[in-house]
Amino acid sequence: MLEITELVHSYGSHRVLDGVSLSVAEGELVSVVGPSGCGKSTLLRSIAGLIRPSGGQILLGGRPVDQIPDNLAIVFQDYSRSLFPWMTAANNVALPLRRRGLDRRRRREAAMAALDQVGLADAGGKYPWEMSGGMQQRVSIARALAYRPSLLLMDEPFGSVDAQTREDLEDLVLRVCAHHGMTILLITHDIDESVYVGDRVIVLTRSPARVSADLKVDLGASRDQIATRQLDEFVRLRAEVGRLVRGGSTTATTVLEQH
Amino acid sequence: MTHVATHSVRSVIRALGRLWLVPVTLVVWEIATRSAAQPFFPPPSAILARMHEIWFSGPASHLLLTDKALDDFGPSLARLFGGWLAAAALGVLIGTAIGCSSRLADYLDPLIELGRAVPPPLLVPFFLALLKLGTPAQLATIVFGVIWPILLNTIDGTRGVDRQHLETARIFGFSTAQRLRQVILPAAMPKIFAGLRLALSLALILLVIAEIFGGTGGIGYQLLYAQRSYLYPDMWGCLVMLGLLGYLLNSAFLLLERRVLAWHRGARQTN
């Protein structure tokens, strides 16, 4: 689905991405984790076609990304700057569907269905500023769902909400995306989260970013906030990702694997 | 219900508390002008009586307006709104174009700085020489005078659209028209409205100036005519009428703004 080879990007003389290679298969949820400021957002913006990387290649569905792909959606961290405050929630979700060639009534129906899936069936007429942060982020997720992208990018999507809401949203994304069989690349700096939501975790090094590990998460398809986090496999993976993010080398991985 | 009732009673009391100065000023004005007994300063009661006589003693079917009122205010208001609306259309159009294109901004910025620095009343003689006496020259004066706050605020507003809102529009493939109508213009609307309000009060000032210098009718011309004919209550009537007009225009505009920008007030209160 998504194939990135030796991606390099520099801002002036400052190198941010230093040969990042990764791939995401159809229907997979891959989390990318790394220390703050390591270039995660640059990676995401390159995939989205918002910036042109200095080097390397990005293939989305076999086609190189040289402009903004028409089958891609993003959920940004800062929902208040991504949702349009002058539109109701339903209109925020429905507006992008114009390009899908749906008429007004069909757009409205699709928007209401997507809002229903994120638990906001009654909030279509509300404006974003009339909602809590968690609800606003649900609207952004509904907008992405209704758009039916072949790849969904999420940039620290739960970074601006409280802990309880964060867990609710993590489960919401897991449930809804499994239901639709969506392909997701989720960027986060939260080690726990990267393991909890991911089918795979890709760990980036400190800036300039390279891939330091690509770990398979063997926790099964259904996850539970309490039970999953107690599993030995979860604890082991979290510790490993933690060491890698904190700048530990691959030797830590080797040591762990010998146990 | 009782909560709503006490709330509305309280807001009425608060409004009265603010308004008490108006009758007090009128009474002081009345006493001062009566005791001075100068023909240049007629008492407000005489001004109001004169205003009633010349403008507001018409038939009920015309909302009490006399033919003279329609003759005096009608053309003036038409010029005022015509000029203001034309300036709004031009200002928003050009402002959006400049706000969205930095290349255009580089070319036009010096011209704009020059144009806005010219005091608009000085343009009356210029437009009188250039255009026909009367409405064309007056409209040109108003449009050229009031376009600047609209233009500059539109440039500022369309330039200041949040980057992430623009990126969201790009990601979801909005067409150029969609981006303009659904993202850039709504985001710039609070600034544009601030410019429009400023322009409206400026338009009233320029209307009077244009009518005084190059007019054959309208409220500004009446003001000049009354002053030259030593009709002081008439002259004062024009002044009071202009004051009332300015107040009414501003209040009506605020009402409109409150409706159109309801989202903006809401968003600001919660952030």
Side-chain angles (χ1 to χ4, degrees):
Chain A
M1 181 70 240
L2 177 69
E3 199 75 45
I4 299 177
T5 357
E6 288 297 318
L7 195 68
V8 174
H9 191 67
S10 305
Y11 293 109
S13 62
H14 176 60
R15 179 159 280 205
V16 191
L17 300 178
D18 190 25
V20 173
S21 300
L22 61 90
S23 67
V24 181
E26 182 116 33
E28 213 179 10
L29 198 166
V30 173
S31 29
V32 175
V33 66
S36 302
C38 78
K40 298 188 293 280
S41 288
T42 304
L43 173 65
L44 179 127
R45 295 168 65 78
S46 309
I47 300 170
L50 290 169
I51 53 174
R52 192 177 284 270
S54 325
Q57 196 184 36
I58 303 171
L59 290 176
L60 181 60
R63 292 227 309 270
V65 173
D66 46 12
Q67 53 183 354
I68 294 172
D70 59 6
N71 49 1
L72 176 140
I74 298 193
V75 173
F76 289 104
Q77 172 177 3
D78 196 349
Y79 41 79
S80 67
R81 293 174 51 213
S82 175
L83 294 176
F84 302 117
W86 47 85
M87 281 178 214
T88 59
N91 283 339
N92 264 291
V93 177
L95 189 58
L97 302 180
R98 280 205 196 173
R99 109 189 279 201
R100 295 283 183 252
L102 302 177
D103 62 34
R104 198 187 181 81
R105 196 176 56 85
R106 301 267 297 282
R107 287 202 300 269
R108 177 110 198 136
E109 280 169 9
M112 294 320 277
L115 283 170
D116 187 34
Q117 283 183 326
V118 299
L120 291 177
D122 299 325
K126 281 194 177 167
Y127 285 88
W129 39 272
E130 295 175 305
M131 302 179 169
S132 68
M135 285 168 81
Q136 290 183 53
Q137 196 59 306
R138 278 166 194 262
V139 176
S140 322
I141 293 169
R143 176 169 65 186
L145 284 176
Y147 194 65
R148 305 214 176 281
S150 49
L151 176 67
L152 172 59
L153 300 174
M154 303 184 100
D155 188 6
E156 304 266 6
F158 318 125
S160 299
V161 295
D162 61 84
Q164 178 64 49
T165 309
R166 180 184 194 114
E167 293 187 353
D168 291 346
L169 288 177
E170 285 168 2
D171 288 339
L172 173 82
V173 165
L174 285 176
R175 191 177 71 241
V176 173
C177 296
H179 178 72
H180 286 283
M182 284 178 90
T183 311
I184 303 178
L185 186 77
L186 182 142
I187 279 176
T188 179
H189 66 271
D190 186 305
I191 293 156
D192 259 56
E193 181 170 280
S194 70
V195 176
Y196 181 74
V197 300
D199 295 321
R200 263 193 306 136
V201 178
I202 288 172
V203 187
L204 297 182
T205 61
R206 233 168 253 292
S207 178
R210 261 172 294 110
V211 173
S212 70
D214 184 342
L215 307 165
K216 182 132 187 58
V217 180
D218 263 328
L219 295 170
S222 76
R223 315 255 164 119
D224 178 87
Q225 289 288 351
I226 312 286
T228 302
R229 287 174 200 270
Q230 280 179 323
L231 294 174
D232 288 345
E233 174 70 2
F234 181 87
V235 175
R236 186 189 72 78
L237 275 167
R238 182 178 59 189
E240 182 169 353
V241 173
R243 267 187 214 98
L244 286 161
V245 168
R246 263 163 241 276
S249 61
T250 36
T251 50
T253 323
T254 350
V255 171
L256 258 166
E257 275 165 4
Q258 282 166 356
H259 277 275
Chain B
M1 280 305 274
T2 47
H3 174 75
V4 173
T6 47
H7 184 77
S8 61
V9 166
R10 220 178 283 158
S11 61
V12 167
I13 291 173
R14 211 180 306 146
L16 286 177
R18 269 179 311 191
L19 285 176
W20 65 269
L21 204 54
V22 175
V24 170
T25 309
L26 281 174
V27 168
V28 171
W29 185 4
E30 182 80 29
I31 293 170
T33 44
R34 269 175 197 252
S35 53
Q38 285 258 358
F40 309 110
F41 299 102
S45 57
I47 298 171
L48 286 177
R50 185 67 189 139
M51 285 171 73
H52 173 76
E53 192 184 326
I54 52 178
W55 290 323
F56 301 111
S57 53
S61 59
H62 286 172
L63 297 168
L64 301 179
L65 291 171
T66 60
D67 287 344
K68 178 153 172 56
L70 296 177
D71 281 351
D72 288 350
F73 307 149
S76 290
L77 285 175
R79 283 176 207 131
L80 175 81
F81 283 117
W84 180 66
L85 288 174
L90 277 174
V92 171
L93 201 74
I94 302 171
T96 307
I98 296 175
C100 294
S101 153
S102 54
R103 162 102 59 90
L104 208 56
D106 288 343
Y107 280 123
L108 293 181
D109 259 348
L111 282 179
I112 290 172
E113 292 301 322
L114 196 72
R116 68 185 277 230
V118 177
L122 297 185
L123 292 165
V124 177
F126 169 70
F127 284 128
L128 278 179
L130 196 68
L131 299 162
K132 273 201 350 222
L133 188 74
T135 305
Q138 289 163 345
L139 271 180
T141 308
I142 295 174
V143 171
F144 195 85
V146 310
I147 198 172
W148 306 108
I150 305 174
L151 181 66
L152 293 171
N153 274 29
T154 306
I155 295 173
D156 203 31
T158 47
R159 231 179 238 170
V161 181
D162 197 304
R163 192 184 72 166
Q164 202 159 68
H165 280 148
L166 292 174
E167 284 181 352
T168 302
R170 286 174 65 196
I171 293 285
F172 288 113
F174 288 17
S175 65
T176 311
Q178 260 182 320
R179 224 169 37 212
L180 263 179
R181 278 193 41 219
Q182 312 281 0
V183 183
I184 295 174
L185 282 177
M189 222 25 108
K191 287 245 167 83
I192 294 178
F193 263 71
L196 285 175
R197 187 145 80 95
L198 202 60
L200 189 58
S201 53
L202 262 178
L204 186 63
I205 298 171
L206 285 173
L207 168 78
V208 176
I209 291 175
E211 285 182 346
I212 285 180
F213 281 109
T216 51
I219 194 162
Y221 178 76
Q222 286 306 318
L223 178 69
L224 184 75
Y225 177 78
Q227 187 245 328
R228 286 196 176 153
S229 320
Y230 308 104
L231 301 168
Y232 291 109
D234 293 46
M235 187 192 83
W236 278 91
C238 287
L239 289 177
V240 171
M241 201 57 222
L242 284 169
L244 282 176
L245 204 58
Y247 178 78
L248 284 177
L249 287 174
N250 195 50
S251 307
F253 187 82
L254 281 179
L255 265 176
L256 178 75
E257 182 177 283
R258 204 164 291 185
R259 278 189 73 95
V260 175
L261 294 182
W263 66 266
H264 183 61
R265 294 203 311 154
R268 257 207 324 215
Q269 273 160 15
T270 45
N271 279 342

